[in-house]
Amino acid sequence: MTVVVDSILNQMTLEEKIGQLNLPSAGEFVTGQAENSDLAKKIEKGMIGGLFNIKTAARIREVQKLAIEKSRTKIPLIFGMDVIHGYESVFPIPLGLSCSWDMKLIERSARIAAQEASADGINWTFSPMVDISRDARWGRISEGSGEDPYLGSQIARAMVRGYQGNDLSANNTIMSCVKHYALYGAAEAGRDYNTVDMSHHRMYNEYLPPYKAAVDEGAGSIMASFNEVDGIPATANKWLLTDVLRKEWGFKGFVVSDYTGLTEMIEHGYGDTIAVSAKALEAGLDMDMVSEGLLNTLARSVKDGKISEQQINNACRRILEAKYKLGLFTDPYKYCNVERAKSEVFNAANRAEARSTATQSFVLLKNQGEILPLKKAGTIALVGPLADAKENMTGTWSVAARFAESISVKAGLEKALEGKAKVLYAKGSNLDEDEAIEERATMFGKTLHRDKRSAEELRNEAVAIAKRADVIVVAGGEAAEMSGEASSRTNIQIPETQRDLIKALLKTGKPVVLVLFTGRPLAVKWESENVPAILNVWFGGSEAGDAIADVVFGDVNPSGKLTTTFPQNVGQEPMYYAQKNTGRPLGDAKWFQKFKSNYLDVSNDPVYPFGFGLSYTQFTYGDLSLSKNQMSSNDSIIASINVTNIGKRDGAEVVQFYIRDLVGSVTRPIKELRGFEKVMIKAGETKTITFKITNEQLSFYRQDLSYGSEPGKFQLFVGGNSRDVKQVEFTLN
Ligand code: BGC
């Protein structure tokens, strides 16, 4: 690789090298007219290294041709896209996917996304998003894997493996871009793009691990985040982009900014375009997404002695290396086979995988009196703003989705019940009484077809059909764009008008099932107390409606477990299970205790804790036993526990192991996930689950950022969620 890249680099002018660092969005390209556009002229002049936001093998071939046939260097372009949770066959939003706790399944979803995207011309995806987030207000919590660094790291690895496979030069794998480096999920007050400030020991223990895991797995590129870290925007943060990423972690790929992240540093108050561009390059940024700051200033900055040509060579080399690894120098059109696109994109097999994957992401939050699963008989009243809303099923960041072909809840239920039972439908309510909120929550074509009738009229219609039904299914919650980028909320409840609808339906006395759509942990205290059954379905993807029917009627037994804490109210945020004990913990005392760490108006409990999720069967946990209760740092202990399925259906359980280090040189959280196993257990069967405690599980970053374990007493907890656990103690000598 080095020889090839060196020889290309040697033939390039300074301007051409700078051109490789430029990544515009391809918004303006029109098929058949590509040649006449401004972008085309830039490509011909060697002023562009890659493009994103462009789709289809045919169009991409047309554009690639410009670079290969018209530019002097003939360097192929790299084509990126936000292939976040599937391409046209859309999988559940990442937060939902993480609730499967199934690494093979998650890897497979990324594999299929890569297969489809690569068949359609794309060779680079801006995924996985591995930002830890513990704040439900932040809309982008939907794009990540939740609050836990251990689980998040496993998922980061699975996604990178899925996209890149074991051969990046194959024509059906794509390069991944880990984002948003770093700490983007810790924006103050959950407001998107807001300031982040945290201690280094917290960064290293809680926020950086998933990025590092993705780098360790070989991710080809990484995206700098919009926020600042330690007072310096990530995009020009040398400590982050060079000292940690390259020197400590040994990252060999290239770093791209986020969308206009480079020139946004002017607003941050970090200098003008010339200054921020030079600083970013110096810090270790290689590619500039959209803002063209590097393109327009670097040649001048070299002349002025602000930066060296060698620094530009380094950045350019990394981008050329990425193109080399993808095999683009051998065949620039390798991803542009129109025939392949026809058969491999959105085909029946991929859609079937998306459907079964969606069933694994659903979390059963409540099932009083075993209302679920429903029988395929009688009459079902289906109501709610998300019931007949196919445009919303794929959720946020589904740029390649075919909305018209997504399966709505209504379509899914009707298909499952054909010839067996009747579905009566009424919308029941709009998303929100406030039209402006609904508009913001349904952008990018994700309309909910707002009904002009009054809330009362809509509700009355729903109550009327509900009275004729045996059971009521309400599909409600958030709309697709109520989470995602720039979709932060300060009220994280179900909109009032929907709650009014549910209240009216409950009054009919008929059983009510809430099929809850959301891209974040919602404050569903009221629902948890009043609605008998709640199935959280996130945004399940293009096949969501069929998948929901699979679970609602019991063809699939739900097994998803939450990867974020569901609070009682927004005031508890940021809320997460791996808290510190503080000097004044509540301990076993119940709320309220004066001069203890609690609130006057609400207990410290979540509504649903991290790791929580029910099944149509029940599991019981036996006693936790250890092979011995002392170990040294080069030794290990085997923990084992019997888990029994005491119900009447086969089901899967996610057995979770947590550890607490009772005394440390820095204080340690009251519980940290250190292992889990998802096991299928037949009705009546008992399985023994074992967990190996090694020094690695007991290690952490100390205040000086050295890494290791410290002797002393530890607790091990095991359970089906982070709250209801069995526990034992052991000692590290
Ligand atoms: C987002 C990124 C995304 C990029 C390109 C930005 O606004 O923050 O996550 O990859 O746009 O679409």
Side-chain angles (χ1 to χ4, degrees), residues 52 82 126 140 179-180 223 226 258-259 289 397 485:
F52 73 109
D82 290 281
F126 305 134
R140 303 198 81 171
K179 68 189 189 187
H180 307 81
M223 188 186 291
F226 286 126
D258 201 346
Y259 202 107
M289 187 191 285
W397 280 117
E485 188 168 353

Side-chain angles (χ1 to χ4, degrees), residues 675-690:
F676 60 87
E677 194 176 330
K678 186 170 184 175
V679 273
M680 189 58 164
I681 310 181
K682 293 213 162 68
E685 190 190 6
T686 296
K687 277 197 173 159
T688 305
I689 312 300
T690 59

Side-chain angles (χ1 to χ4, degrees), residues 184-212:
Y184 185 36
E188 283 177 5
R191 199 184 77 215
D192 208 2
Y193 318 123
N194 203 7
T195 306
V196 175
D197 196 6
M198 71 170 71
S199 69
H200 282 219
H201 112 262
R202 172 169 249 182
M203 273 184 213
Y204 272 75
N205 283 307
E206 299 167 26
Y207 283 78
L208 294 182
Y211 308 105
K212 179 171 188 298

Side-chain angles (χ1 to χ4, degrees), residues 629 631 661-663 698 710-714 730-733:
N629 52 22
M631 67 181 269
D661 185 348
L662 289 168
V663 178
L698 312 181
E710 293 174 350
K713 280 200 181 350
F714 290 80
F730 64 94
T731 305
L732 174 70
N733 292 319

Side-chain angles (χ1 to χ4, degrees), residues 31 55-63 119-121 335-338 341:
T31 312
K55 191 171 180 271
T56 82
R59 278 176 88 204
I60 290 177
R61 171 178 282 274
E62 202 181 326
V63 177
D120 212 15
Y335 304 96
C336 303
N337 174 345
V338 177

Side-chain angles (χ1 to χ4, degrees), residues 393-661:
M393 295 298 99
T394 56
T396 191
W397 280 117
S398 44
V399 293
R402 306 187 189 189
F403 296 156
E405 284 157 88
S406 289
I407 312 294
S408 69
V409 183
K410 182 164 175 281
L413 260 53
E414 282 170 350
K415 204 192 303 170
L417 296 178
E418 209 182 320
K420 297 179 188 131
K422 209 153 115 195
V423 179
L424 305 174
Y425 166 78
K427 187 165 184 178
S429 85
N430 281 312
L431 177 77
D432 197 297
E433 269 305 274
D434 186 338
E435 211 171 326
I437 294 243
E438 176 158 336
E439 206 182 309
R440 291 174 209 143
T442 53
M443 284 185 167
F444 312 123
K446 292 172 188 166
T447 176
L448 283 172
H449 304 281
R450 191 171 178 86
D451 198 310
K452 294 285 173 216
R453 285 175 290 172
S454 74
E456 201 184 348
E457 275 174 281
L458 286 168
R459 211 160 42 231
N460 289 344
E461 183 187 38
V463 169
I465 64 153
K467 285 186 177 152
R468 289 158 46 208
D470 303 303
V471 56
I472 306 163
V473 175
V474 186
E478 293 193 326
E481 292 299 328
M482 224 149 155
S483 62
E485 188 168 353
S487 291
S488 295
R489 295 180 69 194
T490 63
N491 171 351
I492 54 169
Q493 297 184 357
I494 290 180
E496 197 64 39
T497 188
Q498 295 188 51
R499 196 175 275 180
D500 291 344
L501 169 67
I502 297 173
K503 282 179 188 159
L505 294 168
L506 286 168
K507 273 199 197 129
T508 64
K510 309 265 168 130
V512 175
V513 175
L514 173 59
V515 172
L516 182 63
F517 285 83
T518 178
R520 58 160 53 78
L522 286 179
V524 287
K525 186 170 194 300
W526 180 86
E527 289 76 7
S528 76
E529 286 164 359
N530 292 284
V531 182
I534 308 174
L535 180 68
N536 194 331
V537 297
W538 309 109
F539 290 92
S542 48
E543 319 306 313
D546 282 336
I548 289 166
D550 290 340
V551 173
V552 163
F553 299 114
D555 297 318
V556 176
N557 187 355
S559 58
K561 300 271 192 176
L562 298 178
T563 57
T564 48
T565 303
F566 274 45
Q568 298 185 57
N569 67 35
V570 73
Q572 291 178 302
E573 294 292 314
M575 194 180 197
Y576 51 97
Y577 80 92
Q579 297 168 20
K580 297 293 184 75
N581 204 38
T582 80
R584 295 191 174 193
L586 260 185
D588 290 332
K590 288 276 168 250
W591 166 76
F592 169 83
Q593 301 279 311
K594 190 67 183 168
F595 303 120
K596 295 282 185 190
S597 183
N598 56 183
Y599 300 100
L600 288 176
D601 55 350
V602 63
S603 76
N604 289 348
D605 300 324
V607 173
Y608 298 113
F610 176 86
F612 179 85
L614 302 171
S615 162
Y616 293 155
T617 188
Q618 293 87 41
F619 300 99
T620 56
Y621 284 69
D623 285 329
L624 180 55
S625 67
L626 299 180
S627 59
K628 52 186 180 181
N629 52 22
Q630 310 239 342
M631 67 181 269
S632 62
S633 61
N634 49 19
D635 190 11
S636 61
I637 296 177
I638 305 290
S640 40
I641 188 150
N642 285 340
V643 183
T644 305
N645 179 344
I646 57 164
K648 294 193 186 68
R649 285 167 182 267
D650 301 348
E653 170 72 336
V654 180
V655 181
Q656 303 156 38
F657 294 91
Y658 298 86
I659 277 179
R660 177 176 183 186
D661 185 348

